Amino acid sequence: MKLNHVNLTVTDVIAARAFLEKYFGLRTVGERGDAFAALFDDDGLVLTLMKGKQVSYPKTFHIGFAQESEEKVNEINQRLKEDGFDVAPPQRAHGWTFYVEAPGGFRVEVLA
């Protein structure tokens, strides 16, 4: 059985949607202004974003995007840095990985 739907409450649907499209290739398939967006990945995942006034995820909460290689992780890390995101270099942990705070109030892990 595979997980195929996740809903995130975010403070800024438009910024979170643009971030997920630009860096992780998700496609928006539906939206309601700045209150809701539904995004798909290439493997059938449906990720919905719903606007909330206050977002408070647990400290360790995150979503992850696995990459096919360490080089791809490095590339995404560099693009995020160039675009002004505060990201540490990837490091060896449970793979080659780093985390970034996404617009809207949630954390993303990128790993290979």
Side-chain angles (χ1 to χ4, degrees):
M1 184 178 308
K2 111 180 168 174
L3 176 67
N4 62 1
H5 176 75
V6 175
N7 179 76
L8 297 175
T9 301
V10 297
T11 57
D12 188 333
V13 170
I14 294 169
R17 183 190 80 210
F19 175 84
L20 294 166
E21 289 172 337
K22 180 174 184 174
Y23 298 103
F24 304 105
L26 274 67
R27 298 174 317 282
T28 299
V29 296
E31 60 185 307
R32 279 180 270 173
D34 68 350
F36 173 84
L39 299 96
F40 285 9
D41 74 1
D42 292 335
D43 198 33
L45 172 74
V46 179
L47 176 62
T48 55
L49 305 171
M50 299 179 103
K51 185 169 185 163
K53 292 181 181 178
Q54 187 175 6
V55 175
S56 179
Y57 288 108
K59 184 177 179 180
T60 59
F61 176 83
H62 63 278
I63 63 172
F65 290 96
Q67 303 302 309
E68 64 272 4
S69 68
E70 291 182 3
E71 290 76 20
K72 185 69 174 170
V73 171
N74 294 341
E75 175 188 312
I76 293 170
N77 184 272
Q78 186 61 38
R79 285 179 57 211
L80 287 162
K81 281 183 189 175
E82 289 171 359
D83 289 346
F85 287 91
D86 182 19
V87 291
Q91 62 182 356
R92 187 92 34 224
H94 49 280
W96 189 240
T97 185
F98 73 92
Y99 294 85
V100 60
E101 298 299 324
F106 61 100
R107 178 177 286 179
V108 173
E109 179 180 15
V110 182
L111 71 153

